[in-house]
Amino acid sequence: MSETKAPSNFIRQIIDRDLAEGKNDGQVVTRFPPEPNGYLHIGHAKSICLNFGIAESYNGSCNLRFDDTNPEKEEDEYIQSIKQDVQWLGFTWNGQERFASNYFDQLYQLAVELIHKGLAYVDSLSPEQIAEYRGNFTTPGKPSPYRERSVEENLALFEQMRSGEMDEGAAVLRAKIDMQSANLNLRDPILYRIRKKVHHQTGDKWVIYPMYDFTHPLSDALEGITHSLCTLEFEDHRPFYDWVIEHTSVPASPRQYEFARLNLNYTVTSKRKLKQLVDEGHVEGWNDPRMPTISGLRRRGYTPASLRTFCESVGVSRADSVVDMGMLEAAIRDDLNQHAPRAMCVLNPLKVVIENWEEGKEESLTAPVHPQNETMGTRQVPMTREIYIDREDFREEANKKFKRLVLGDRVRLRYGYVVRATDVVRDDSGEIVEVRCSYDPDTLGKNPENADDQGKLRGVIHWVSASKGEPCEVRLYDRLFTAANPNKTEEGQTFLSHINPDSLSVLDGCWVEPGLRGVLAETRYQFEREGYFCVDQSSSADKLVFNQTVGLRESWPKEA
């Protein structure tokens, strides 16, 4: 094992016991088996961290295997995005990425083996009839009239399925287990179905494709997986997993263990629903910063370290629970508070003219890149006669609780001088468009004299030079759904009924320090007094675009 031991959980305890008993020749081999039918989301991040993390801890290996048994819904775009997500999180899979389709020839032969053993048969019932015969939780299943076909007939029909002689839906291959079982997954589950679709890996070689529950255990066995980790919804499938391993001649006998999936409030993690959000234009795409996808979180400004920390803090158990979104936001806030460089950005600009500042004069002020980390160095901030402050930081009149600029009072410009507001300029509608100020040249880096006629400073505000600053667009994000559980709906509603119409606010005409000109996408900053922000992928030399990652402090109330 590695020197750093992760917090224990029931899966690690199982592995520790297996190793102590000498099982699996002392090896730990896991796998991450996503379906390439969508982008990965935060729930997958937990599975990635668990499978790859365990492999790291026990000096084992973890395979990346795409469960590509449904060519109708799979695309290379999804394959590439999944690989990028795993690598971005900081993990390396064992050897080349694998595909379930790599094993289609072997899976077919293992299906033939089951037919020879009298444990599989070709069923000619329609899909609707199969569902009816299967029964439900209160009604026992009944055998198909085709269940007792001879081995020879089943072999011939299965070959006809494979050769394309049958239409889609004309027949399926089923396991012969127990139609009376209390576990519906054992009521002669389907092993193969006809799908005359071109596959992204195998082309038009196959017109029959194996089902997930058949493919999954056999792929694990063929790869020598020692611990097959799945979420709890597969617990009832485990008896079939074990049945497949027991009744086929595979080289290994992996075991499946289930853990609770990650449920996060104010979001959905169903791939079907996420795809619906994309397809219907409710979001910009799979990597929209409001989406719970790994690529969306990355574009939002989340770091690999923050997601790994979050997944570790959630823990691994068998008890289903809902994690508060604030826990995820706290993870990135803590990370960026330590590592993000600081900058000043004015989101709602109001021009300030410093009347006693010489025309054309520019002074370079020194500011720390990070106030608690001197090793990150300093940055230079240009000071000019005209600057921008945030409109929220000025009032003509205010009580003492308002710690910003008030007409007739003084504040300090962050890292700069003390200024006093002396007058305002209004447009034709009466709106203030400019504040006139004076500055005290003796206050750089030191407190001014608090003479009786001047009073104490109200506070410190951020600012940006109007002539040297960089214009930018800032996108502010709220939660995509207004309900903690978007899936909980009333009659006539869907999860889309809970979409937050104010989940995105685009602020154009913002101003940021000139030092951020030309920064790379995904560079993260703390905009002082505003929050944490990330350079968007669409940002360019012509237009800087920043995405809000998270506020400086939690602003959403916790669920009661």
Side-chain angles (χ1 to χ4, degrees), residues 34-65:
E35 298 175 70
N37 59 0
Y39 281 56
L40 301 183
H41 54 66
I42 186 65
H44 293 112
K46 176 182 177 180
S47 182
I48 292 170
C49 291
L50 176 61
N51 280 286
F52 283 92
I54 280 178
E56 286 183 353
S57 295
Y58 291 92
N59 291 327
S61 60
C62 183
N63 296 344
L64 172 62
R65 180 178 73 235

Short mmCIF file of all heavy atoms in Angstrom, two decimals, residues 34-65:
data_model
loop_
_atom_site.label_atom_id
_atom_site.label_comp_id
_atom_site.label_asym_id
_atom_site.label_seq_id
_atom_site.Cartn_x
_atom_site.Cartn_y
_atom_site.Cartn_z
N PRO A 34 -18.01 3.58 -17.61
CA PRO A 34 -19.11 4.48 -18.02
C PRO A 34 -19.72 4.08 -19.35
O PRO A 34 -19.06 3.52 -20.22
CB PRO A 34 -18.40 5.83 -18.13
CG PRO A 34 -17.01 5.47 -18.53
CD PRO A 34 -16.70 4.20 -17.78
N GLU A 35 -20.98 4.42 -19.52
CA GLU A 35 -21.64 4.29 -20.82
C GLU A 35 -21.35 5.57 -21.62
O GLU A 35 -21.56 6.67 -21.12
CB GLU A 35 -23.15 4.14 -20.65
CG GLU A 35 -23.57 2.90 -19.88
CD GLU A 35 -25.07 2.88 -19.66
OE1 GLU A 35 -25.81 2.70 -20.65
OE2 GLU A 35 -25.50 3.06 -18.50
N PRO A 36 -20.89 5.44 -22.85
CA PRO A 36 -20.59 6.65 -23.65
C PRO A 36 -21.83 7.23 -24.31
O PRO A 36 -21.88 7.42 -25.53
CB PRO A 36 -19.58 6.12 -24.68
CG PRO A 36 -19.97 4.69 -24.87
CD PRO A 36 -20.48 4.21 -23.53
N ASN A 37 -22.84 7.53 -23.49
CA ASN A 37 -24.09 8.08 -24.01
C ASN A 37 -24.39 9.46 -23.41
O ASN A 37 -25.53 9.91 -23.43
CB ASN A 37 -25.25 7.12 -23.74
CG ASN A 37 -25.44 6.84 -22.25
OD1 ASN A 37 -24.71 7.36 -21.41
ND2 ASN A 37 -26.41 6.02 -21.92
N GLY A 38 -23.39 10.10 -22.88
CA GLY A 38 -23.54 11.43 -22.29
C GLY A 38 -22.25 11.83 -21.59
O GLY A 38 -21.30 11.05 -21.54
N TYR A 39 -22.24 13.03 -21.05
CA TYR A 39 -21.07 13.51 -20.31
C TYR A 39 -21.16 13.04 -18.86
O TYR A 39 -22.25 12.83 -18.32
CB TYR A 39 -21.01 15.04 -20.36
CG TYR A 39 -20.46 15.60 -21.65
CD1 TYR A 39 -21.03 15.27 -22.89
CD2 TYR A 39 -19.37 16.46 -21.65
CE1 TYR A 39 -20.54 15.79 -24.07
CE2 TYR A 39 -18.88 16.99 -22.83
CZ TYR A 39 -19.45 16.66 -24.04
OH TYR A 39 -18.96 17.16 -25.21
N LEU A 40 -20.01 12.88 -18.24
CA LEU A 40 -19.97 12.47 -16.84
C LEU A 40 -20.41 13.61 -15.93
O LEU A 40 -20.17 14.79 -16.22
CB LEU A 40 -18.56 12.04 -16.45
CG LEU A 40 -17.95 10.88 -17.23
CD1 LEU A 40 -16.58 10.53 -16.67
CD2 LEU A 40 -18.87 9.66 -17.21
N HIS A 41 -21.05 13.27 -14.80
CA HIS A 41 -21.50 14.28 -13.85
C HIS A 41 -20.85 14.06 -12.48
O HIS A 41 -19.99 13.17 -12.32
CB HIS A 41 -23.03 14.30 -13.75
CG HIS A 41 -23.64 12.96 -13.44
ND1 HIS A 41 -23.45 12.30 -12.24
CD2 HIS A 41 -24.47 12.17 -14.17
CE1 HIS A 41 -24.11 11.17 -12.24
NE2 HIS A 41 -24.74 11.05 -13.41
N ILE A 42 -21.24 14.86 -11.51
CA ILE A 42 -20.61 14.84 -10.19
C ILE A 42 -20.74 13.47 -9.53
O ILE A 42 -19.85 13.05 -8.78
CB ILE A 42 -21.21 15.95 -9.29
CG1 ILE A 42 -20.47 16.06 -7.96
CG2 ILE A 42 -22.70 15.75 -9.09
CD1 ILE A 42 -19.03 16.48 -8.08
N GLY A 43 -21.82 12.74 -9.82
CA GLY A 43 -21.95 11.39 -9.27
C GLY A 43 -20.89 10.46 -9.81
O GLY A 43 -20.36 9.61 -9.09
N HIS A 44 -20.57 10.62 -11.10
CA HIS A 44 -19.50 9.82 -11.68
C HIS A 44 -18.15 10.18 -11.06
O HIS A 44 -17.27 9.33 -10.94
CB HIS A 44 -19.43 10.04 -13.20
CG HIS A 44 -20.61 9.51 -13.94
ND1 HIS A 44 -21.52 10.34 -14.57
CD2 HIS A 44 -21.05 8.26 -14.14
CE1 HIS A 44 -22.45 9.61 -15.15
NE2 HIS A 44 -22.21 8.34 -14.90
N ALA A 45 -17.99 11.44 -10.68
CA ALA A 45 -16.74 11.85 -10.05
C ALA A 45 -16.49 11.05 -8.78
O ALA A 45 -15.35 10.66 -8.49
CB ALA A 45 -16.76 13.35 -9.75
N LYS A 46 -17.56 10.79 -8.02
CA LYS A 46 -17.41 9.97 -6.81
C LYS A 46 -16.94 8.57 -7.17
O LYS A 46 -16.04 8.02 -6.53
CB LYS A 46 -18.73 9.92 -6.06
CG LYS A 46 -18.69 9.03 -4.82
CD LYS A 46 -20.03 8.95 -4.12
CE LYS A 46 -19.98 7.99 -2.94
NZ LYS A 46 -21.28 7.90 -2.23
N SER A 47 -17.53 7.98 -8.21
CA SER A 47 -17.15 6.64 -8.63
C SER A 47 -15.72 6.61 -9.16
O SER A 47 -14.95 5.67 -8.88
CB SER A 47 -18.11 6.13 -9.70
OG SER A 47 -17.80 4.82 -10.09
N ILE A 48 -15.34 7.65 -9.91
CA ILE A 48 -13.97 7.74 -10.42
C ILE A 48 -12.98 7.80 -9.26
O ILE A 48 -11.99 7.06 -9.21
CB ILE A 48 -13.81 8.98 -11.32
CG1 ILE A 48 -14.61 8.81 -12.61
CG2 ILE A 48 -12.34 9.23 -11.65
CD1 ILE A 48 -14.71 10.07 -13.44
N CYS A 49 -13.26 8.69 -8.30
CA CYS A 49 -12.36 8.84 -7.16
C CYS A 49 -12.28 7.56 -6.34
O CYS A 49 -11.21 7.21 -5.82
CB CYS A 49 -12.81 10.02 -6.28
SG CYS A 49 -12.61 11.64 -7.05
N LEU A 50 -13.40 6.86 -6.22
CA LEU A 50 -13.41 5.61 -5.45
C LEU A 50 -12.60 4.53 -6.17
O LEU A 50 -11.69 3.94 -5.58
CB LEU A 50 -14.84 5.15 -5.24
CG LEU A 50 -15.01 3.80 -4.52
CD1 LEU A 50 -14.41 3.86 -3.12
CD2 LEU A 50 -16.48 3.42 -4.45
N ASN A 51 -12.91 4.28 -7.42
CA ASN A 51 -12.23 3.19 -8.14
C ASN A 51 -10.75 3.45 -8.36
O ASN A 51 -9.91 2.60 -8.08
CB ASN A 51 -12.94 2.94 -9.48
CG ASN A 51 -14.20 2.12 -9.33
OD1 ASN A 51 -14.15 0.92 -9.10
ND2 ASN A 51 -15.34 2.77 -9.45
N PHE A 52 -10.43 4.64 -8.85
CA PHE A 52 -9.02 4.96 -9.09
C PHE A 52 -8.28 5.19 -7.77
O PHE A 52 -7.11 4.84 -7.65
CB PHE A 52 -8.91 6.19 -9.99
CG PHE A 52 -9.17 5.90 -11.43
CD1 PHE A 52 -10.45 6.05 -11.96
CD2 PHE A 52 -8.16 5.49 -12.28
CE1 PHE A 52 -10.72 5.78 -13.29
CE2 PHE A 52 -8.42 5.23 -13.63
CZ PHE A 52 -9.70 5.37 -14.13
N GLY A 53 -8.99 5.78 -6.79
CA GLY A 53 -8.35 6.02 -5.50
C GLY A 53 -7.98 4.74 -4.79
O GLY A 53 -6.90 4.64 -4.18
N ILE A 54 -8.87 3.75 -4.84
CA ILE A 54 -8.57 2.46 -4.21
C ILE A 54 -7.38 1.80 -4.91
O ILE A 54 -6.48 1.25 -4.26
CB ILE A 54 -9.82 1.56 -4.23
CG1 ILE A 54 -10.76 1.97 -3.10
CG2 ILE A 54 -9.45 0.09 -4.12
CD1 ILE A 54 -12.05 1.19 -3.05
N ALA A 55 -7.38 1.85 -6.24
CA ALA A 55 -6.26 1.27 -6.98
C ALA A 55 -4.93 1.92 -6.58
O ALA A 55 -3.92 1.24 -6.39
CB ALA A 55 -6.49 1.41 -8.48
N GLU A 56 -4.95 3.24 -6.43
CA GLU A 56 -3.74 3.95 -6.01
C GLU A 56 -3.31 3.53 -4.61
O GLU A 56 -2.13 3.28 -4.34
CB GLU A 56 -3.98 5.46 -6.05
CG GLU A 56 -4.00 6.06 -7.44
CD GLU A 56 -4.18 7.57 -7.41
OE1 GLU A 56 -4.41 8.13 -6.31
OE2 GLU A 56 -4.10 8.21 -8.48
N SER A 57 -4.27 3.46 -3.69
CA SER A 57 -3.95 3.17 -2.29
C SER A 57 -3.35 1.79 -2.11
O SER A 57 -2.50 1.59 -1.23
CB SER A 57 -5.21 3.29 -1.43
OG SER A 57 -5.70 4.61 -1.39
N TYR A 58 -3.80 0.84 -2.92
CA TYR A 58 -3.35 -0.54 -2.75
C TYR A 58 -2.32 -0.96 -3.81
O TYR A 58 -2.09 -2.15 -4.00
CB TYR A 58 -4.55 -1.49 -2.79
CG TYR A 58 -5.44 -1.34 -1.57
CD1 TYR A 58 -6.52 -0.47 -1.57
CD2 TYR A 58 -5.20 -2.07 -0.40
CE1 TYR A 58 -7.35 -0.33 -0.46
CE2 TYR A 58 -6.02 -1.95 0.72
CZ TYR A 58 -7.09 -1.07 0.68
OH TYR A 58 -7.90 -0.93 1.79
N ASN A 59 -1.70 0.03 -4.46
CA ASN A 59 -0.73 -0.25 -5.51
C ASN A 59 -1.29 -1.22 -6.54
O ASN A 59 -0.59 -2.10 -7.04
CB ASN A 59 0.58 -0.81 -4.91
CG ASN A 59 1.34 0.23 -4.12
OD1 ASN A 59 1.31 1.41 -4.46
ND2 ASN A 59 2.01 -0.19 -3.06
N GLY A 60 -2.56 -1.03 -6.83
CA GLY A 60 -3.21 -1.87 -7.81
C GLY A 60 -3.36 -1.15 -9.13
O GLY A 60 -2.57 -0.26 -9.47
N SER A 61 -4.37 -1.49 -9.89
CA SER A 61 -4.61 -0.85 -11.17
C SER A 61 -6.11 -0.68 -11.37
O SER A 61 -6.92 -1.39 -10.78
CB SER A 61 -4.02 -1.67 -12.32
OG SER A 61 -4.59 -2.96 -12.37
N CYS A 62 -6.46 0.30 -12.21
CA CYS A 62 -7.86 0.57 -12.51
C CYS A 62 -8.02 0.71 -14.02
O CYS A 62 -7.30 1.48 -14.66
CB CYS A 62 -8.33 1.84 -11.81
SG CYS A 62 -10.09 2.21 -12.07
N ASN A 63 -8.93 -0.06 -14.57
CA ASN A 63 -9.20 0.00 -16.01
C ASN A 63 -10.28 1.03 -16.30
O ASN A 63 -11.22 1.18 -15.53
CB ASN A 63 -9.68 -1.37 -16.53
CG ASN A 63 -8.61 -2.44 -16.40
OD1 ASN A 63 -7.44 -2.16 -16.21
ND2 ASN A 63 -9.03 -3.70 -16.52
N LEU A 64 -10.13 1.69 -17.43
CA LEU A 64 -11.21 2.51 -17.97
C LEU A 64 -11.85 1.69 -19.08
O LEU A 64 -11.21 1.39 -20.10
CB LEU A 64 -10.69 3.83 -18.52
CG LEU A 64 -11.71 4.69 -19.28
CD1 LEU A 64 -12.86 5.11 -18.37
CD2 LEU A 64 -11.03 5.92 -19.90
N ARG A 65 -13.11 1.30 -18.87
CA ARG A 65 -13.80 0.46 -19.85
C ARG A 65 -15.14 1.08 -20.23
O ARG A 65 -15.99 1.32 -19.36
CB ARG A 65 -14.03 -0.94 -19.30
CG ARG A 65 -14.73 -1.86 -20.30
CD ARG A 65 -14.91 -3.27 -19.77
NE ARG A 65 -15.95 -3.35 -18.76
CZ ARG A 65 -15.76 -3.85 -17.55
NH1 ARG A 65 -14.57 -4.26 -17.16
NH2 ARG A 65 -16.76 -3.91 -16.69
#
